[in-house]
């Protein structure tokens, strides 16, 4: 069947792991003349946990400085195991020794090393060395090979603590001090202490970190560490201060340690009591004697030890008040009571009551406040109806009905005045102004003109030829009252007349004519000219004169004037007939 079996007893993988075996197969039962074939078989031995772990040394020594941080790794240790894989997995423990509470050990699964870490801070001045017994054991055991055990090993580790120059050490992790708010500048508050933990025991220097404004309220003695006040305190403003004190060695100023210091400001009775708020005290006219009209209370900026108990009273320096009295309720409140039956607003509408308030502090403080009491009209159930307004009306002798009537009359008069002004403004002015009113008048007519027939009603000779307008023309809208000056103008021939000169001449006549009104007048002049060889073809001229002109020549002008020649050729016979 070709089964391969071991030929040696207790083969050791750690001694030899790989084997090569040549296998030959023959036919004809191995007789001569038979054929054969061969092959090589590689055999690898698998590992079993048959080798216990062993430390290379029985004694180890480790140097750790005292400045090592808690939780940091300070050293490594490893036990050797000839097995591989999970058979070589190991766990390290500290089984005894005086350093078991200071150090701890864990296992690195990748490198199978024991990692030694620091659990507590080291102090060279207190303890210079530690002894640890460390055990390394396999985690996967094979009970078939338990007789080869035990599968663990123990070694001793001595830890030497190295001396390091450390910063000063305060006697307490934090300090709390107290000082009264009325303490003078330079008053001692407390003392902090620090020392050099090294064997040299160097001198220590103290100072305050002035990082905040609170640190400037205190000073510290650099040699003794005594903290003193540097400013005046007010507990009601700042009841607590937090500062930071630093200490450094004189020989090595770079090594600095810090400690927090809290300073509590103690209260003194330095604030007198005062009324808790501004009271609006009202007394009804129909009140009865002994009736409570207001309950007052007080407040004090000091704490309860110096101001929780208040006492109320009236000012003893004044005469007995016949109108009101005060009763101390012995519970930090007081009641204001009336002393007579009725009060009248017409006689007096306001009363002033001085109240003296004192506290129970040491020494006691007091203050005086004045209550303003108003007299008001109230309903039967005590509700306030009105105070000052009705009192003024009553003193004037006017009732509510009379006041309403007066207001209605004023409103009616105002309505009449407004209506009259509105009607007067809406009244229209006449369109035509009298003849004595010399102003420009613009009259608009919406009549349609009659075309060329309307030109017969007006003398438009001046529009056709400036020479025809030499004679004096009077304005038709104003009757002249002053006889116009005679005008003598040199006659201008039609050939030499100039329109611009003509207009300037008419403008000068208008300026010098005393018959015209004293305002601007618009005069329109139109002149077509007199140098056209064809003459004027205006419809205005055709309305006043009959032209005998022959329009037959228009037919010779070409096809562009054919329509014009036909029109004038038809009109001409009609005129002749």
């Amino acid at each position: 069947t070709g089964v391969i079996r071991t030929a040696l007893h207790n083969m050791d993988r750690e001694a030899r792991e790989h084997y090569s075996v040549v296998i030959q197969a023959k036919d004809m039962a191995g007789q001569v003349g038979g054929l054969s074939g061969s092959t090589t078989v590689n055999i690898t031995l698998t590992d079993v946990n048959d080798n216990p772990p062993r430390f290379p040394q029985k004694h180890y020594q480790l140097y750790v400085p005292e400045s090592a941080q808690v939780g940091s790794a300070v050293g490594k240790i490893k036990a050797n195991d000839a097995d591989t894989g999970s058979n070589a997995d190991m766990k390290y423990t500290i089984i005894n020794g005086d350093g078991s509470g200071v150090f701890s050990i864990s296992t690195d699964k990748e490198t199978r090393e024991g990692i030694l870490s620091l659990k507590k801070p080291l102090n060279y001045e207190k303890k210079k060395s530690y002894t640890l017994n460390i055990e390394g054991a396999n985690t996967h055991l094979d009970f078939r090979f338990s007789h080869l055990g035990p599968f663990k090993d123990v070694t001793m580790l001595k830890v030497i603590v190295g001396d390091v120059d450390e910063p000063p050490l305060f006697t307490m992790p934090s300090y709390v001090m107290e000082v009264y708010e009325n303490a003078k500048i330079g008053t001692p508050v407390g003392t902090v202490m620090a020392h050099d933990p090294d064997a040299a025991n160097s001198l220590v220097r103290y100072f305050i970190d002035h990082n905040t404004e609170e640190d400037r309220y205190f000073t510290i003695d650099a040699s003794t560490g005594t903290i003193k006040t540097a400013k005046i305190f007010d507990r009601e403003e700042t009841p607590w201060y937090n500062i930071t004190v630093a200490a450094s060695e004189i020989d090595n100023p770079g090594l600095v340690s810090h400690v927090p210091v809290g300073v509590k400001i103690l209260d003194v009775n330095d604030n007198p009591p005062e009324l808790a708020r501004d009271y609006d005290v009202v007394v009804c006219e129909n009140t009865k004697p002994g009736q409570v009209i207001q309950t007052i209370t007080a407040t004090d900026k000091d704490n309860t030890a110096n101001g929780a108990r208040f006492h109320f009273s009236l000012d003893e320096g004044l005469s007995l008040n016949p109108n009101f009295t005060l009763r101390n309720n012995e519970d930090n409140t007081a009641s204001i009571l009336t002393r007579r039956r009725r009060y009248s607003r017409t006689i007096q509408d306001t009363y002033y009551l001085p109240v003296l308030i004192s506290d129970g502090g040491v020494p006691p403080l007091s203050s005086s406040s004045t209550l303003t009491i108003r007299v008001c009209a109230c309903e039967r159930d005590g509700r306030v109806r009105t105070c000052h307004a009705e009192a003024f009306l009553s003193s004037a002798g006017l009732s509510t009905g009379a006041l309403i009537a007066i207001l209605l009359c004023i409103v009616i008069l105002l309505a009449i005045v407004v209506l009259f002004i509105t009607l007067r403004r809406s009244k229209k002015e006449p369109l035509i102004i009298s003849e004595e009113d010399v102003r420009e008048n613009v009259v608009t007519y919406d009549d349609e003109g009659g075309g060329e027939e309307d030109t017969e009603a007006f003398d438009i000779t001046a529009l056709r030829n400036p020479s025809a307008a030499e004679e004096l023309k009077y304005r038709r809208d104003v009757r002249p009252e002053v006889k116009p000056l005679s005008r003598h103008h040199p006659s201008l021939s039609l050939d030499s007349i100039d329109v611009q000169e003509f207009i300037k001449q008419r403008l000068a006549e208008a300026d010098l004519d005393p018959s015209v009104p004293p305002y601007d007048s618009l005069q329109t002049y139109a002149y077509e000219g007199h140098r056209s060889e064809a003459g004027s073809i205006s419809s205005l001229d055709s309305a006043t004169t009959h032209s005998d002109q022959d329009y037959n020549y228009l037919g010779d002008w070409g096809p562009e004037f054919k329509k014009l020649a036909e029109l004038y050729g038809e009109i001409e016979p009609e005129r002749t007939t």
Side-chain angles (χ1 to χ4, degrees), residues 284-510:
C284 296
E285 288 183 319
N286 57 353
T287 188
K288 298 179 181 180
Q291 185 175 348
V292 177
I293 60 175
Q294 184 68 53
T295 299
I296 61 175
T297 184
T299 183
D300 195 332
K301 295 181 180 179
D302 298 320
N303 59 19
T304 56
N306 290 310
R309 190 73 174 179
F310 300 116
H311 182 268
F312 300 85
S313 63
L314 296 179
D315 195 345
E316 297 179 356
L318 302 177
S319 59
L320 182 63
N321 193 315
N323 300 306
F324 304 96
T325 185
L326 183 143
R327 181 180 65 199
N328 187 20
N329 297 328
E330 302 296 335
D331 59 352
N332 294 329
T333 64
S335 300
I336 308 298
L337 297 88
T338 58
R339 301 195 65 174
R340 58 191 182 90
R341 181 175 297 276
R342 292 186 63 82
Y343 297 85
S344 177
R345 289 170 292 161
T346 58
I347 299 176
Q348 185 175 354
D349 60 352
T350 304
Y351 293 88
Y352 300 97
L353 183 65
V355 178
L356 187 66
I357 311 171
S358 60
D359 59 21
V362 179
L365 297 178
S366 62
S367 65
S368 179
S369 302
T370 301
L371 292 175
T372 302
I373 304 175
R374 297 184 299 148
V375 180
C376 298
C378 303
E379 303 291 346
R380 290 186 177 182
D381 56 359
R383 291 181 300 171
V384 176
R385 186 175 65 215
T386 183
C387 292
H388 297 290
E390 190 173 347
F392 173 78
L393 295 176
S394 299
S395 62
L398 297 177
S399 63
T400 304
L403 178 62
I404 296 175
I406 293 173
L407 293 177
L408 288 177
C409 292
I410 293 174
V411 172
I412 293 173
L413 290 176
L414 290 176
I416 293 174
V417 171
V418 172
L419 181 61
F420 176 76
I421 294 174
T422 305
L423 293 177
R424 188 169 183 178
R425 287 183 177 180
S426 62
K427 185 178 180 181
K428 297 183 178 180
E429 297 292 339
L431 182 63
I432 304 300
I433 305 176
S434 63
E435 295 182 357
E436 290 78 10
D437 189 3
V438 183
R439 292 180 298 177
E440 293 183 358
N441 299 319
V442 179
V443 181
T444 303
Y445 298 93
D446 193 16
D447 296 335
E448 184 177 358
E452 293 184 354
E453 297 179 357
D454 290 344
T455 59
E456 299 294 339
F458 302 96
D459 185 7
I460 60 174
T461 305
L463 299 178
R464 295 196 302 271
N465 192 343
S467 63
E470 293 297 327
E471 61 199 50
L472 179 63
K473 300 295 182 180
Y474 294 100
R475 293 173 56 91
R476 298 182 181 182
D477 57 343
V478 179
R479 183 184 300 276
E481 296 180 358
V482 181
K483 185 177 181 180
L485 297 176
S486 59
R487 303 178 184 177
H488 299 283
H489 303 289
S491 60
L492 301 175
S493 63
L494 293 176
D495 297 334
S496 62
I497 191 168
D498 182 77
V499 175
Q500 182 179 5
E501 186 66 26
F502 173 78
I503 293 176
K504 289 184 179 180
Q505 182 179 353
R506 287 292 181 265
L507 178 62
E509 291 176 2

Side-chain angles (χ1 to χ4, degrees), residues 153-181:
D153 195 13
V154 178
T155 188
M156 185 180 69
L157 175 64
K158 184 177 183 180
V159 180
I160 306 299
V161 180
D163 187 17
V164 178
D165 193 5
E166 301 175 276
L169 181 64
F170 285 95
T171 57
M172 297 177 61
S174 62
Y175 293 85
V176 177
M177 303 176 183
E178 296 178 346
V179 65
Y180 283 97
E181 62 176 325

Side-chain angles (χ1 to χ4, degrees), residues 57 112 120 124 133 244 249 365 369 436 446 502 526 537:
Q57 301 178 19
R112 297 186 176 91
K120 295 182 180 180
Y124 173 81
N133 291 323
T244 302
E249 295 181 9
L365 297 178
S369 302
E436 290 78 10
D446 193 16
F502 173 78
I537 59 174

Side-chain angles (χ1 to χ4, degrees), residues 80-303:
N80 297 326
D81 193 332
D83 298 321
T84 60
S86 60
N87 295 322
D89 289 344
M90 200 171 307
K91 180 180 180 181
Y92 297 92
T93 55
I94 299 175
I95 55 177
N96 54 39
D98 55 359
S100 58
V102 181
F103 298 92
S104 63
I105 192 169
S106 59
T107 304
D108 188 341
K109 295 182 179 180
E110 297 294 332
T111 62
R112 297 186 176 91
E113 293 177 331
I115 309 299
L116 191 66
S117 303
L118 189 63
K119 292 173 59 178
K120 295 182 180 180
L122 301 177
N123 192 335
Y124 173 81
E125 288 70 27
K126 292 183 178 180
K127 192 173 181 61
K128 296 177 175 57
S129 64
Y130 296 89
T131 301
L132 302 176
N133 291 323
I134 300 176
E135 179 187 77
N138 286 137
T139 57
H140 300 87
L141 300 180
D142 192 342
F143 295 102
R144 295 176 301 172
F145 307 99
S146 59
H147 61 281
L148 301 176
F151 286 84
K152 59 184 178 179
D153 195 13
V154 178
T155 188
M156 185 180 69
L157 175 64
K158 184 177 183 180
V159 180
I160 306 299
V161 180
D163 187 17
V164 178
D165 193 5
E166 301 175 276
L169 181 64
F170 285 95
T171 57
M172 297 177 61
S174 62
Y175 293 85
V176 177
M177 303 176 183
E178 296 178 346
V179 65
Y180 283 97
E181 62 176 325
N182 61 347
K184 298 180 180 180
I185 297 177
T187 301
V189 180
T191 303
V192 296
M193 294 184 63
H195 66 278
D196 183 9
D198 300 322
N201 195 18
S202 301
L203 296 178
V204 178
R205 175 181 172 271
Y206 303 93
F207 58 94
I208 296 177
D209 285 344
H210 294 289
N211 295 327
T212 62
E213 185 64 25
E214 293 183 354
D215 297 328
R216 304 184 185 277
Y217 279 82
F218 303 92
T219 60
I220 189 171
D221 190 298
S223 301
T224 63
T226 301
I227 300 175
K228 298 181 181 180
T229 60
K231 293 183 180 181
I232 300 299
F233 302 101
D234 186 1
R235 189 204 66 85
E236 288 71 34
E237 182 178 352
T238 306
W240 194 276
Y241 291 88
N242 294 308
I243 62 176
T244 302
V245 177
S248 64
E249 295 181 9
I250 296 179
D251 298 336
N252 189 0
L255 296 176
V256 181
S257 58
H258 300 81
V259 67
V261 179
V263 181
K264 181 181 180 181
I265 307 302
L266 301 179
D267 184 47
V268 295
N269 193 25
D270 57 348
N271 292 280
E274 56 187 11
L275 289 177
R277 59 183 178 87
D278 294 333
Y279 290 94
D280 183 17
V281 186
V282 174
V283 61
C284 296
E285 288 183 319
N286 57 353
T287 188
K288 298 179 181 180
Q291 185 175 348
V292 177
I293 60 175
Q294 184 68 53
T295 299
I296 61 175
T297 184
T299 183
D300 195 332
K301 295 181 180 179
D302 298 320
N303 59 19

Side-chain angles (χ1 to χ4, degrees), residues 9-63:
H9 181 66
N10 295 330
M11 301 181 68
D12 189 2
R13 187 201 64 82
E14 288 73 26
R16 185 174 180 180
E17 183 176 3
H18 301 285
Y19 293 89
S20 296
V21 179
V22 178
I23 305 297
Q24 186 180 44
K26 294 183 179 181
D27 56 5
M28 297 181 62
Q31 294 180 6
V32 178
L35 300 177
S36 64
S38 63
T39 186
T40 301
V41 178
N42 295 321
I43 301 173
T44 301
L45 299 182
T46 59
D47 184 56
V48 294
N49 192 8
D50 57 349
N51 293 281
R54 293 291 180 263
F55 285 103
Q57 301 178 19
K58 291 299 182 182
H59 297 87
Y60 290 89
Q61 185 170 309
L62 179 65
Y63 174 84

